[in-house]
Each structure stands twice: as C-alpha cells, then as structure tokens.
Amino acid sequence: KVKLTFTLWGDVNSGANEQTLADEFNAAHPNIEVKFEPVPGDGYGTKLTASLAGGTAPDVFLVGEGDFRSFVDKGVIEPLDDYIAKDDAFDINIFQKSLIDMEKLDGKLYYLPKDFNPLALWYNKKLFDDAKIEYPSADWTWDDMTQAAQKLTKQENGKFTQFGFNAGTWEYPIYTYLWANGTDIANEDGSKAEGFMNGEKTVAAMEKYVALSKGENRVSPTPQDTQTLGGDSSMFMTGKLAMMITGRWVKSDLDKSDVEYGSALIPTGADGTRAGIIAAAGWAVNSKSKHKQEAYELVKWLSGTDAQKLRSKDGLVLPATVTELEAVKSAEQADKAVIEMMDYAQKPVTMRSGNGPLFKDEFTQALEKVLLGRQDMKAALDEAAKNVDAKIK
C-alpha cells in the first residue's frame, strides 16, 4: 500500500468531517492508506513551514488564502494542471470559477478548494430594535453605517456599555473599506507601496477609520476593549456590540446563543463602490511527496462534491462547487447577503504578490503605532511605505 498523510489546522474533533472523508477514501482505494494528522492549537503555518523545510511534511496539506502565494513562492506546492489534463474523470468546472481563479497563480493551478466564506456585515437585531433603527440595507454607505453606529453606542457614568461597530485591526475588513474608498495599500502587482499605502486617499480613509475607535465619542471598542470583553463575537452575543464585519464561521456560536442576528452587504463608498473579500482554504500536494499521483487523488477526494456537501451541511461554510452552492442559495434566507458578497470580492496584496506579507506587516505595525498614539497616520504610513519599498528593492 502507498501510505499518505494529510493535515489541517484544528484538532480531531473539529476535523471530524476530514476523518470521515479519510475513512471513505481508504475504503474506496484499497491500494492507498491515508492517515489524517491535524495540527491543534496555534502556529499551524509555522509548524507546516518547519516540516516542509525538514522534509517531514505531509503529502497533502491545507493552506489559507492569505498564504497561497507565499507557499507557492517557497516551491513547496505541486502544480495540478498536468494531473488534471490527464484525468478524464475529473471536471474542474464543478467548482466556482471565482474560487479556482483565486487558487491559480501565474497561470498555474496550485490548489483545489476546501470551502469558502465571504465577509459580510453582521448586526444584532435586538439592539437595532431597541434603538428604533432600521436594519442595514443594500443602500447603506460607510457613512450611513457610522451614523447608525453613533446611535447604537451607549455610555453610563462615563463608561461605554455598548458599541455600534467594531473597527478592529484585522486587515480584511479594512481592505474592504479602503477599496470602497478607491484606494489600496499597494499597486496592482504588489511591487510598490509609495503613493499607495501612504497616498492621500489612503491616509484620509484610515484617519476616518481609526477615529471610530478613538476618543470619548468613539463608536467602536479599542483593541484593548475588545480583548478585555472576550472578542467581537462574544461582545456581539452579549449585547455589547451592534455590528461587525466577519465571516460565516461565527454562525455556529451565534446559533448556540439566544442572540437575534442578521447579515447584510458590506456598505459602499460614497460613490457607490462596494468591495468584499473571500476567506478560503485550498488543498495542496507537497511538491516533495514521493507519491504525488496518489496525493492528487486524495486532494480530488477532499475537494469533491461529497466532501463539499458534508462540510456545508451545518451551514458554517459554503460549498465551493457550483451545484451545491446553488442549492444553498435557493434555501438560504437569513444569510443571503453573505453569499451575495462573493460577487464583490477582490484579491488582497498577499494574493497578488509574493511581496504581500511585507505590505501586510508594515501596514499592521503602522496602524498599531497610530492606535497607541506614537505617530500620526501620515507619518506612520510614510514610514511603512518607505520600509516596504526598501525591502522589495
């Protein structure tokens, strides 16, 4: 028997579906024995990188969209095009085209999709009802959302008891905000930061964004507030937060609580531009595997129709295959906006360029400096842009 291993982040319990798929694969492939070895806790990427460098990595592993480019640039991902071209039994068109496009880099396909989650605006219905404010609509701009957030923010005896929106430091919601305002932290091919990360539009937009979580009239918790209160999902479920931009993965916790929630399209910029982003994961074949053909068969199995149905049955993730997603769309009511946001998805710089992590790290550090009061926005982004371009050069 050919022996294969595969991995993803999480423990055996959270990976129960993958274990089921492994058992079914073994039953259907008597000449191959697959072992599922999940990586619990934090540091999945670090551990995977170390095992790849040491030659001990699994034959198949899961990669998040933010690392698609970096792992390909390391040369550790096997391109799948030749395998698919020789495989008459496999049709790549079963998958959503937008997801396959995400998993193609420089014209080659390196991943097959596990599942995906577009970000959307989630809102606490009770807090809106109590404040007698209409629920978010498709016509909302970011300014409309900010105005609603002001009405949904409460203080008692000088202390905040409720916030309207979480303007956190996670870069994905910030990207959607910048794109909606006609700007980005990098040029299209991720080769330049000057004039983009510190451009006038970016500086102005970020000053407005940071103002949401600063000062006595803020509508957003500070990062320290969010940490103290257990995170935005916890605040949302306990009535301390009215709105947040996040993915469908929160649905599991929300459904276990008694919170009444809804989802809406992410607001537009002033000119009507709407932007979204998709969080996705893709299965990859280790380029150093001794059994690449068998590993490809496993990747197909883990990405196939039955796997998509199994993972999406509880509604936490969306199926990456066309037919299965259409079935979800036809039945979905509460989270319809989440699915619709995939039509507005753009690629962050980490997916457009191997330099992406440089942009992300410097931008995040600049934002932290501003929030801590160490620098103003212009100075922080000027320094960040200079650092990125110097490192690229």
Side-chain angles (χ1 to χ4, degrees), residues 109 128 134 177 189 242 244 254 256 269 314 317 319 349 356:
L109 181 65
F128 273 77
E134 291 188 9
Y177 170 73
D189 65 2
M244 59 183 177
L254 298 185
K256 291 174 186 174
D314 55 8
V317 296
V349 66

Side-chain angles (χ1 to χ4, degrees), residues 42-50 67 71:
D42 296 330
Y44 172 81
T46 302
K47 293 172 184 175
L48 180 58
T49 300
D67 292 321
F71 276 97

Side-chain angles (χ1 to χ4, degrees), residues 311-340:
R311 294 192 196 97
S312 60
K313 67 180 180 182
D314 55 8
L316 302 186
V317 296
L318 293 170
T321 41
V322 174
T323 302
E324 283 60 47
L325 183 61
E326 287 301 319
V328 173
K329 282 182 180 179
S330 64
E332 186 61 72
Q333 293 297 327
D335 301 339
K336 188 177 179 183
V338 181
I339 301 174
E340 291 174 347

Side-chain angles (χ1 to χ4, degrees), residues 249-260:
W249 51 79
V250 299
K251 188 176 171 66
S252 174
D253 290 336
L254 298 185
D255 288 344
K256 291 174 186 174
S257 71
D258 58 0
V259 64
E260 292 183 57

Side-chain angles (χ1 to χ4, degrees), residues 183-325:
T183 187
D184 198 349
I185 64 172
N187 64 346
E188 183 58 32
D189 65 2
S191 62
K192 185 180 180 183
E194 181 65 36
F196 295 89
M197 186 176 291
N198 63 340
E200 287 185 14
K201 281 187 176 181
T202 305
V203 172
M206 287 307 301
E207 285 177 339
K208 202 170 177 179
Y209 186 86
V210 166
L212 297 175
S213 61
K214 293 191 75 175
E216 296 179 358
N217 297 318
R218 66 183 185 271
V219 300
S220 166
T222 64
Q224 292 81 5
D225 291 332
T226 305
Q227 188 174 14
T228 301
L229 294 169
D232 56 3
S233 294
S234 177
M235 294 175 65
F236 187 88
M237 289 185 287
T238 54
K240 295 182 176 67
L241 180 65
M243 293 179 283
M244 59 183 177
I245 292 178
T246 189
R248 192 181 171 103
W249 51 79
V250 299
K251 188 176 171 66
S252 174
D253 290 336
L254 298 185
D255 288 344
K256 291 174 186 174
S257 71
D258 58 0
V259 64
E260 292 183 57
Y261 66 90
S263 62
L265 299 176
I266 294 174
T268 70
D271 67 352
T273 299
R274 193 188 315 278
I277 194 168
I278 290 177
W283 293 107
V285 172
N286 184 347
S287 63
K288 300 297 191 293
S289 171
K290 295 178 181 177
H291 306 288
K292 294 178 186 177
Q293 182 60 48
E294 290 82 358
Y296 161 71
E297 295 296 331
L298 175 59
V299 164
K300 273 200 312 176
W301 189 275
L302 295 172
S303 300
T305 299
D306 290 342
Q308 300 293 336
K309 289 179 180 178
L310 180 63
R311 294 192 196 97
S312 60
K313 67 180 180 182
D314 55 8
L316 302 186
V317 296
L318 293 170
T321 41
V322 174
T323 302
E324 283 60 47
L325 183 61

Side-chain angles (χ1 to χ4, degrees), residues 45-244:
T46 302
K47 293 172 184 175
L48 180 58
T49 300
S51 65
L52 286 163
T56 60
D59 301 276
V60 169
F61 46 85
L62 192 66
V63 179
E65 84 291 332
D67 292 321
F68 279 178
R69 168 66 67 170
S70 61
F71 276 97
V72 168
D73 286 349
K74 289 184 177 91
V76 298
I77 310 292
E78 179 77 3
L80 301 177
D81 304 86
D82 289 344
Y83 298 90
I84 292 172
K86 297 173 184 175
D87 188 350
D88 294 334
F90 183 68
D91 182 7
I92 195 70
N93 294 314
I94 65 170
F95 297 109
Q96 298 289 327
K97 184 179 183 301
S98 58
L99 295 181
I100 291 299
D101 288 345
M102 280 177 68
E103 300 178 355
K104 279 183 179 178
L105 299 173
D106 303 325
K108 292 184 179 181
L109 181 65
Y110 288 93
Y111 306 91
L112 286 183
K114 173 180 176 283
D115 50 40
F116 76 104
N117 260 309
L119 270 61
L121 178 68
W122 298 73
Y123 58 94
N124 185 314
K125 289 185 175 181
K126 183 178 184 303
L127 301 189
F128 273 77
D129 293 341
D130 291 346
K132 294 181 172 54
I133 298 174
E134 291 188 9
Y135 298 150
S137 74
D139 298 326
W140 263 25
T141 65
W142 275 87
D143 286 342
D144 292 330
M145 190 192 70
T146 300
Q147 291 172 13
Q150 290 169 345
K151 297 174 183 177
L152 289 160
T153 301
K154 294 182 179 180
Q155 295 187 56
E156 291 181 10
N157 300 321
K159 290 187 177 181
F160 286 92
T161 57
Q162 181 178 304
F163 293 98
F165 174 70
N166 182 31
T169 57
W170 185 29
E171 70 272 13
Y172 273 17
I174 296 175
Y175 290 160
T176 69
Y177 170 73
L178 292 177
W179 294 334
N181 282 281
T183 187
D184 198 349
I185 64 172
N187 64 346
E188 183 58 32
D189 65 2
S191 62
K192 185 180 180 183
E194 181 65 36
F196 295 89
M197 186 176 291
N198 63 340
E200 287 185 14
K201 281 187 176 181
T202 305
V203 172
M206 287 307 301
E207 285 177 339
K208 202 170 177 179
Y209 186 86
V210 166
L212 297 175
S213 61
K214 293 191 75 175
E216 296 179 358
N217 297 318
R218 66 183 185 271
V219 300
S220 166
T222 64
Q224 292 81 5
D225 291 332
T226 305
Q227 188 174 14
T228 301
L229 294 169
D232 56 3
S233 294
S234 177
M235 294 175 65
F236 187 88
M237 289 185 287
T238 54
K240 295 182 176 67
L241 180 65
M243 293 179 283
M244 59 183 177

